[in-house]
Amino acid sequence: MGAPCLLGPLPACGRFGVPAGEGAAGLGDSIQPARKNQHVSNVSVQLEMRSLWEEFNSLGTEMIVTKAGRRMFPTFQVKLSGLDPLADYVLLMDFMPLDDKRYRYAFHSSSWLVAGRADPAAPGRVHFHPDSPAKGGQWMRQIVSFDKLKLTNNLLDDNGHIILNSMHRYQPRFHVVYVDPRRDSERFAHENFKSFTFAETQFMAVTAYQNHRITQLKIASNPFAKGFRDCEPDDW
Amino acid sequence: MGAPCLLGPLPACGRFGVPAGEGAAGLGDSIQPARKNQHVSNVSVQLEMRSLWEEFNSLGTEMIVTKAGRRMFPTFQVKLSGLDPLADYVLLMDFMPLDDKRYRYAFHSSSWLVAGRADPAAPGRVHFHPDSPAKGGQWMRQIVSFDKLKLTNNLLDDNGHIILNSMHRYQPRFHVVYVDPRRDSERFAHENFKSFTFAETQFMAVTAYQNHRITQLKIASNPFAKGFRDCEPDDW
DNA sequence: ACGTTAGCACCTAGGTGATAAGCT
DNA sequence: AGCTTATCACCTAGGTGCTAACGT
């Protein structure tokens, strides 16, 4: 996990809103500043389990945050192409606030209401994929899974987890960073990464599920959630 | 896990016997050919759980091999020092036959007997530590554990496990390989690694435990073995 | 009220030796 | 007879949502 200092140029986390357009067939958005290094310019990313993400998104995805850190479900997983098989890349994720609002859930109407301005945002953290850095060929060989990533609401977390505010909305982002071997690579940092946003992965951070239909979908689709069934039981 | 082609120069696996001397305080043997690159020449390695290894070794350590692959217990773990914190290293293990004999266990005398010449050796495999390559600083930060390494007796294994002959004796070896960034690094391959052997980690490969005292010590010291107790139970 | 926390029962996933059956 | 294999019960380790208690 040799984290290089190539992250300054990532689009700042303090802005809201996500470029709205969505690439066809679940290809990630990558609206980028002008010119990019050829090692990243042809990179494309496909979101795995897209239909499951969309099912959650249509209900309003909620992700649990806990003091100890909680994994996301669905897990953010992507298939990569267009990397230089022999070049080194670092893969990472961060989370952008989708707006500057705080929400609360109205059980009677089963809907989210704005409850005021956002709470102060914790210092933005990033999560490096633990296999970083690795060759493009390695990254493309199989699905890249961020199943070690955990979300927490503990502002004092020292486990390196992603710190989020409960009852706030977030948009996960995925970044491919080319490890530039040139001596003065810092000067090209802004050219050496490419970022991807999948609108269907946005979610509300919560400490307990609010929408009961989200709970049910989690139980139905997450093997770790009790009551998982592969198919309809016979005697029901 | 980009496995570099730096492994030709590792001491050949076809010889028997291990340099007998043992470094004081569990420091690994590293009888090396002449000159070494400065990135490895000062590397030293300390075996973890040495007293447990010695306890097993005094009884005659046995390691289970299975078709599916079985972890070693004790796990081979080391503490490293003397690496260049900013340089890349690959860490790996291999296993040398300790002799060209086949053994069998005499239950009545509780001892091992030579049962003939060794069976044909499988092509020697190596196990790269899955965090490889990584910076020296990373390797030295904490204990390096080879708990993903598995032993098999399946000559056709395609899971990348270490293939051993049951009823044969082996000596684990540990190698530190400096990832030389020079263009013509192949020419210096023989200078860029350092190997370590801990005599107390040698073992007999078996498909089922032969010495009952080994079985008891495994049960007493491996948390995964049923009946593990941290201390003597009160009502015994 | 409303949101958070800790403990829990219940899962998945996988590492153990024991056992009995199978092989040569 | 000697060794290997498959299966099993029993562990560790850790990911779930639920619930009741807690806090503000």
Side-chain angles (χ1 to χ4, degrees), chain B residues 67 104 153 166-167 207 223-224 226:
Chain B
K67 192 173 176 182
R104 69 181 194 85
N153 59 340
S166 183
M167 311 309 264
T207 57
F224 284 107
K226 148 183 146 184

Coordinates of all heavy atoms in Angstrom, one line a residue, chain B residues 67 104 153 166-167 207 223-224 226, chain D residues 2-6 10-13:
Chain B
K67 N -4.7 -33.1 -0.6 CA -5.0 -32.8 -2.0 C -5.4 -31.3 -2.2 O -4.9 -30.7 -3.2 CB -6.1 -33.7 -2.5 CG -6.3 -33.8 -4.0 CD -7.3 -34.8 -4.4 CE -7.6 -34.9 -5.8 NZ -8.6 -35.9 -6.2
R104 N 9.3 -44.2 7.0 CA 8.1 -44.7 7.6 C 8.2 -44.6 9.1 O 9.3 -44.6 9.6 CB 7.7 -46.1 7.1 CG 8.7 -47.2 7.5 CD 8.3 -48.5 7.0 NE 8.9 -49.6 7.7 CZ 8.4 -50.2 8.8 NH1 7.3 -49.7 9.3 NH2 9.1 -51.1 9.4
N153 N 0.0 -32.7 -1.6 CA 0.7 -33.8 -2.2 C 0.2 -34.1 -3.6 O 0.5 -35.2 -4.1 CB 0.5 -35.0 -1.3 CG -0.9 -35.4 -1.1 OD1 -1.8 -34.6 -1.3 ND2 -1.2 -36.6 -0.6
S166 N 4.7 -36.9 0.5 CA 4.5 -37.3 1.9 C 5.6 -38.3 2.3 O 6.2 -39.0 1.4 CB 3.1 -38.0 1.9 OG 2.8 -38.5 3.2
M167 N 5.8 -38.4 3.6 CA 6.9 -39.2 4.1 C 8.3 -38.9 3.7 O 9.2 -39.7 3.7 CB 6.6 -40.7 3.8 CG 5.1 -41.1 4.1 SD 4.6 -40.7 5.8 CE 4.9 -42.2 6.7
T207 N 0.5 -37.4 5.5 CA -1.0 -37.2 5.2 C -1.8 -37.4 6.4 O -3.0 -37.0 6.5 CB -1.5 -38.2 4.1 OG1 -1.2 -39.6 4.5 CG2 -0.8 -38.0 2.8
P223 N -5.2 -22.7 17.6 CA -6.5 -22.3 18.0 C -7.6 -23.0 17.1 O -8.7 -23.2 17.6 CB -6.5 -20.8 17.7 CG -5.1 -20.4 17.7 CD -4.3 -21.5 17.2
F224 N -7.3 -23.4 15.9 CA -8.3 -24.0 15.0 C -8.5 -25.5 15.4 O -9.4 -26.0 14.9 CB -7.9 -23.8 13.6 CG -8.1 -22.5 13.0 CD1 -7.0 -21.6 12.8 CD2 -9.4 -22.0 12.8 CE1 -7.2 -20.3 12.3 CE2 -9.6 -20.7 12.3 CZ -8.5 -19.9 12.1
K226 N -9.6 -28.4 17.5 CA -10.6 -28.5 18.6 C -9.9 -28.9 19.9 O -9.0 -29.6 20.0 CB -11.6 -29.7 18.2 CG -12.2 -30.5 19.3 CD -13.0 -31.6 18.6 CE -12.9 -32.9 19.5 NZ -13.7 -34.0 18.8
Chain D
dG2 P 2.8 -51.9 9.0 OP1 4.3 -52.0 9.2 OP2 1.8 -51.7 10.1 O5' 2.5 -50.9 7.8 C5' 3.3 -51.0 6.6 C4' 2.8 -49.9 5.7 O4' 1.5 -50.2 5.2 C3' 2.8 -48.5 6.3 O3' 3.5 -47.6 5.5 C2' 1.3 -48.2 6.4 C1' 0.8 -49.0 5.2 N9 -0.6 -49.4 5.3 C8 -1.3 -49.8 6.4 N7 -2.6 -50.1 6.2 C5 -2.8 -49.7 4.9 C6 -3.9 -49.8 4.1 O6 -5.1 -50.2 4.4 N1 -3.7 -49.4 2.8 C2 -2.5 -49.0 2.3 N2 -2.4 -48.6 1.0 N3 -1.4 -48.9 3.1 C4 -1.6 -49.3 4.3
dC3 P 3.8 -46.1 6.0 OP1 5.2 -45.8 5.6 OP2 3.4 -46.0 7.4 O5' 2.8 -45.3 5.1 C5' 2.8 -45.4 3.7 C4' 1.6 -45.0 3.1 O4' 0.5 -45.7 3.5 C3' 1.2 -43.5 3.4 O3' 1.3 -42.8 2.1 C2' -0.3 -43.6 3.8 C1' -0.7 -45.0 3.4 N1 -1.8 -45.6 4.2 C2 -3.0 -45.8 3.6 O2 -3.2 -45.5 2.4 N3 -4.0 -46.4 4.3 C4 -3.8 -46.7 5.6 N4 -4.8 -47.3 6.3 C5 -2.6 -46.5 6.2 C6 -1.6 -45.9 5.5
dT4 P 0.9 -41.2 2.1 OP1 1.7 -40.7 0.9 OP2 0.9 -40.6 3.4 O5' -0.6 -41.3 1.6 C5' -0.9 -41.9 0.3 C4' -2.4 -41.8 0.0 O4' -3.2 -42.6 1.0 C3' -3.0 -40.4 0.0 O3' -3.6 -40.2 -1.2 C2' -3.9 -40.4 1.2 C1' -4.3 -41.8 1.4 N1 -4.7 -42.3 2.7 C2 -5.9 -42.8 2.9 O2 -6.8 -42.9 2.1 N3 -6.2 -43.2 4.2 C4 -5.3 -43.2 5.3 O4 -5.6 -43.6 6.4 C5 -4.0 -42.6 5.0 C7 -3.0 -42.5 6.1 C6 -3.7 -42.2 3.7
dT5 P -4.2 -38.6 -1.6 OP1 -4.0 -38.4 -3.0 OP2 -3.6 -37.7 -0.6 O5' -5.7 -38.8 -1.2 C5' -6.5 -39.8 -1.9 C4' -7.9 -39.8 -1.3 O4' -7.8 -40.4 0.0 C3' -8.5 -38.5 -1.2 O3' -9.6 -38.4 -2.1 C2' -9.0 -38.4 0.3 C1' -8.8 -39.8 0.8 N1 -8.4 -39.9 2.2 C2 -9.2 -40.6 3.1 O2 -10.2 -41.1 2.8 N3 -8.7 -40.7 4.4 C4 -7.5 -40.1 4.8 O4 -7.1 -40.3 6.0 C5 -6.7 -39.4 3.8 C7 -5.4 -38.8 4.2 C6 -7.2 -39.4 2.6
dA6 P -10.5 -37.1 -2.3 OP1 -10.9 -37.0 -3.7 OP2 -9.7 -35.9 -1.8 O5' -11.7 -37.3 -1.4 C5' -12.4 -38.6 -1.5 C4' -13.5 -38.7 -0.4 O4' -12.9 -39.0 0.9 C3' -14.3 -37.4 -0.2 O3' -15.7 -37.7 -0.2 C2' -13.8 -36.8 1.1 C1' -13.4 -38.0 1.8 N9 -12.2 -37.8 2.8 C8 -11.1 -37.1 2.5 N7 -10.3 -37.1 3.5 C5 -10.9 -37.8 4.5 C6 -10.6 -38.2 5.8 N6 -9.4 -37.8 6.4 N1 -11.5 -38.9 6.6 C2 -12.6 -39.2 6.0 N3 -13.1 -39.0 4.7 C4 -12.1 -38.3 4.1
dC10 P -19.9 -31.9 17.6 OP1 -19.9 -32.6 18.9 OP2 -21.1 -31.2 17.1 O5' -18.7 -30.9 17.5 C5' -17.4 -31.3 17.8 C4' -16.5 -30.2 17.6 O4' -16.3 -30.0 16.2 C3' -16.9 -28.9 18.2 O3' -16.0 -28.4 19.1 C2' -17.0 -27.9 17.0 C1' -16.1 -28.6 16.0 N1 -16.3 -28.3 14.6 C2 -15.2 -27.9 13.8 O2 -14.1 -27.8 14.3 N3 -15.4 -27.5 12.5 C4 -16.6 -27.6 12.0 N4 -16.8 -27.3 10.7 C5 -17.8 -28.0 12.8 C6 -17.5 -28.4 14.0
dC11 P -16.3 -27.2 20.1 OP1 -16.2 -27.7 21.5 OP2 -17.4 -26.4 19.6 O5' -14.9 -26.4 19.9 C5' -15.0 -25.1 19.3 C4' -13.8 -24.9 18.5 O4' -14.0 -25.6 17.2 C3' -13.6 -23.4 18.1 O3' -12.7 -22.8 19.1 C2' -13.0 -23.4 16.7 C1' -13.5 -24.7 16.1 N1 -14.7 -24.6 15.2 C2 -14.4 -24.1 13.9 O2 -13.2 -23.8 13.6 N3 -15.4 -24.0 13.0 C4 -16.7 -24.4 13.4 N4 -17.6 -24.3 12.5 C5 -16.9 -24.9 14.7 C6 -15.9 -25.0 15.5
dT12 P -12.9 -21.3 19.4 OP1 -12.1 -21.0 20.6 OP2 -14.3 -20.9 19.3 O5' -12.2 -20.6 18.1 C5' -10.9 -20.9 17.8 C4' -10.5 -20.1 16.5 O4' -11.3 -20.5 15.4 C3' -10.6 -18.6 16.6 O3' -9.5 -18.0 16.0 C2' -11.9 -18.3 15.9 C1' -12.0 -19.4 14.8 N1 -13.3 -19.8 14.4 C2 -13.7 -19.7 13.1 O2 -13.0 -19.2 12.3 N3 -15.0 -20.1 12.9 C4 -15.9 -20.6 13.8 O4 -17.0 -21.0 13.4 C5 -15.4 -20.7 15.1 C7 -16.3 -21.3 16.2 C6 -14.2 -20.3 15.4
dA13 P -9.2 -16.5 16.2 OP1 -7.7 -16.3 15.9 OP2 -9.7 -16.1 17.5 O5' -10.0 -15.8 15.0 C5' -9.7 -16.1 13.7 C4' -10.7 -15.4 12.8 O4' -11.9 -16.1 12.7 C3' -11.1 -14.0 13.3 O3' -10.7 -13.1 12.3 C2' -12.6 -14.1 13.5 C1' -13.0 -15.2 12.6 N9 -14.2 -15.9 12.9 C8 -14.6 -16.4 14.1 N7 -15.8 -17.0 14.1 C5 -16.2 -16.9 12.8 C6 -17.3 -17.4 12.1 N6 -18.3 -18.0 12.7 N1 -17.4 -17.1 10.8 C2 -16.4 -16.5 10.2 N3 -15.3 -16.0 10.7 C4 -15.2 -16.3 12.0

